[in-house]
Structures are given as C-alpha cells and as structure tokens.
Amino acid sequence: SRTEAVRIVAVDDEPYLIDLYQNIFESIGAEVVAFQNPARAVDYLISGNKVDLEVTDWDMPGGTGGAAVEEAKKRDIFTILCSGSAHLGTASQECSRQPVIVLKKPFSPLNLLEIVRESVTEDGKNTTNLHWREASNVAGLQQPGCNY
C-alpha cells in the first residue's frame, strides 16, 4: 500500500522563507502547503485537511501566527513557531501550553530540519517515506553561517 506523504503547512509573509521551507521539506519527501497570509492558513486547517506539522511565523501582515497555532492545537498538530519578532516573549507565553517549539530567527535550516524530524517521529507518524539524507542536497543548506 502507498504511504501518504507527510503534509506540512508553512506560514510566513516572506516569500524567500516560503521557498526555503518548500525546498527543505520537499527534499525529504514531504508535501508542503504554503501560505503568506495567516488567515488563509487558518481556513485551510478549519476545512479539515490532513496536516501533520505546521511551521509558522508570528508577526505577519494580516495578523499573527497565533490563530494558526491555536487552530493547529485544536487538531493536535505540532507547530514550530519561527520568528524574529520583538514580541517573541509574548508569543512564547501564549504558546507555552501548546505543542509548540519556538525557533528564533535567524535560524539554521539544519536545526529546523532536525526539529521537524524529531517532531514527526515522536508523534508516531509513519515517516518511512521521508528521505532525511536528501536534505543535504538543498542548495546552500550546508554552508557555514547559513541562517534565515
């Protein structure tokens, strides 16, 4: 039987970060659904689509990542909050009782990938279709000091 791809929702208003998330996660065999508007991500989650993991920014035009984090919590979807916001302390407090890891920008893509690997593995998801070694082929990922 065919294994369903791990689906990751990525939410960030910066197009280069959306591209980075798509490159990294697709390189390991995950399906990426990307949004630059947090309200659209919330609508996607509300509509009942299968989602295994969410990666979201906090401060974005059109709202914070808080609504997306809250919606993911209702559906037991693990969330990685990536933000360089000065309000990150507030975000961390608001997310403290939820299945959320806060990753401060700038971050290492390899660090992000390791957090993703740990979260989907610990969550009991069938990750046999993910190819972790393939991530090393993503352009620029291995460069020293390569932070986003």
Side-chain angles (χ1 to χ4, degrees), residues 109-142:
L110 291 175
N111 190 19
L112 172 63
L113 194 60
E114 186 56 34
I115 293 169
V116 169
R117 182 196 327 233
E118 289 173 8
S119 66
V120 295
T121 303
E122 287 175 13
D123 206 21
K125 307 256 186 263
N126 182 351
T127 60
T128 56
N129 62 333
L130 295 181
H131 314 287
W132 299 107
R133 277 186 244 165
E134 298 301 318
S136 63
N137 297 328
V138 176
L141 199 58
Q142 300 289 359

Side-chain angles (χ1 to χ4, degrees), residues 12-20 22 36:
D12 202 297
D13 58 306
E14 297 288 350
Y16 76 94
L17 283 171
I18 292 292
D19 289 345
L20 175 73
Q22 288 177 315
Q36 287 183 263

Side-chain angles (χ1 to χ4, degrees), residues 8-44:
I8 300 173
V9 166
V11 190
D12 202 297
D13 58 306
E14 297 288 350
Y16 76 94
L17 283 171
I18 292 292
D19 289 345
L20 175 73
Y21 297 145
Q22 288 177 315
N23 287 337
I24 292 174
F25 301 144
E26 288 174 358
S27 77
I28 60 170
E31 178 185 342
V32 180
V33 182
F35 299 94
Q36 287 183 263
N37 180 308
R40 291 204 175 134
V42 169
D43 289 344
Y44 183 82

Side-chain angles (χ1 to χ4, degrees), residues 39-100:
R40 291 204 175 134
V42 169
D43 289 344
Y44 183 82
L45 294 169
I46 288 172
S47 67
N49 291 289
K50 173 195 163 291
V51 176
D52 299 299
L53 180 80
E54 174 184 60
V55 178
T56 185
D57 189 9
W58 184 258
D59 279 332
M60 293 176 274
T64 70
V69 170
E70 190 62 37
E71 204 53 51
K73 176 191 171 192
K74 292 177 188 173
R75 289 157 176 68
D76 293 321
I77 299 167
F78 188 86
T79 298
I80 301 171
L81 176 62
C82 299
S83 182
S85 171
H87 303 105
L88 196 54
T90 303
S92 297
Q93 287 174 347
E94 288 185 32
C95 298
S96 64
R97 292 178 300 281
Q98 301 175 24
V100 175

